[in-house]
Amino acid sequence: MIVIVSGPGGVGKGTVVSRLLELEPDLWLSRSWTTRARRPGEPPDAYVFVDRSTFRDRIDAAGFIEWTEFPGTGELYGTPTLETPGDRDIVLEIELDGAQQIKRRYPDAVLILVVAPSPDVQQQRLRGRGDDDASVSRRLEVGANEDLLGRQIADYVVVNDAVDRAAGQVAGILQDHRAGS
Ligand code: 5GP
């Protein structure tokens, strides 16, 4: 099973995914590549951080199952060709354009859209990450579009009002899927 956790920036999908992995340790989280610079305090393995030409080389070598230029910032992000250990279920934490590419390629993938309880909360979360004002504004703009489109194409919408509750809801969705319901 491929599980896509998507949603606008600042909704806390990374935190929900971290909690989900604690609840469901057998899930395997794919590590994306990006051309964006590492944020202060961000773990070095949060992404594979590369320059643009290295990223382009990997595109040319068909090394991504999806990739996108993030409209908020112009940075490139991509999911490398999957090398799952064993038969573990895979989690992708990606934005919506990539989510659509994955759904086209793997129609059985489950798309879970995480949304913030309110635009104010989303804005506070974005500012709290230390991005500059221009970047926060661009990400909010992109996020509003992602929210609209996401609600149309997602299999499930999960409101991140509290991380434990939201992650628990996602775990429940996955269990139902495994059970074939
Ligand atoms: P950030 O710069 O805040 O880490 O990520 C910006 C956006 O890119 C987030 O919505 C994040 O989920 C998304 N993203 C991270 N990795 C990938 C990826 O491999 N592919 C795509 N399409 N989006 C990604």
Side-chain angles (χ1 to χ4, degrees):
M1 177 164 62
I2 298 180
V3 183
I4 312 162
V5 178
S6 193
V11 301
K13 45 185 194 292
T15 327
V16 171
V17 166
S18 300
R19 184 75 189 107
L20 174 67
L21 294 176
E22 285 168 15
L23 296 173
E24 299 259 335
D26 279 348
L27 289 173
W28 184 80
L29 178 65
S30 164
R31 185 148 56 111
S32 297
W33 285 38
T34 186
T35 58
R36 131 164 118 62
R38 210 177 122 201
R39 296 194 178 105
E42 188 171 46
D45 62 353
Y47 285 99
V48 177
F49 293 98
V50 294
D51 60 24
R52 246 179 141 82
S53 89
T54 309
F55 198 102
R56 290 268 167 215
D57 286 349
R58 182 146 185 140
I59 295 173
D60 292 345
F64 294 111
I65 56 167
E66 63 76 30
W67 67 272
T68 199
E69 185 173 279
F70 190 58
T73 59
E75 301 293 351
L76 306 177
Y77 295 82
T79 303
T81 327
L82 297 171
E83 287 161 26
T84 334
D87 56 358
R88 292 165 69 182
D89 294 334
I90 302 163
V91 180
L92 309 180
E93 191 225 303
I94 59 178
E95 54 67 68
L96 216 59
D97 176 55
Q100 283 181 292
Q101 295 179 47
I102 296 289
K103 275 294 252 186
R104 277 196 291 271
R105 193 163 175 161
Y106 305 99
D108 290 341
V110 183
L111 174 50
I112 298 173
L113 183 78
V114 180
V115 297
S118 76
D120 280 356
V121 172
Q122 188 188 354
Q123 196 174 128
Q124 277 162 21
R125 286 189 184 139
L126 276 175
R127 291 195 193 287
R129 281 200 308 213
D131 288 355
D132 61 38
D133 283 355
S135 166
V136 169
S137 305
R138 281 197 302 272
R139 282 172 187 261
L140 281 172
E141 216 170 289
V142 174
N145 292 331
E146 286 199 310
D147 192 286
L148 276 177
L149 174 64
R151 286 175 192 271
Q152 289 166 24
I153 65 170
D155 297 303
Y156 301 92
V157 177
V158 171
V159 179
N160 184 16
D161 44 6
V163 150
D164 282 348
R165 195 209 59 76
Q169 187 182 350
V170 175
I173 290 168
L174 302 188
Q175 278 152 20
D176 287 351
H177 258 266
R178 283 191 200 103
S181 60

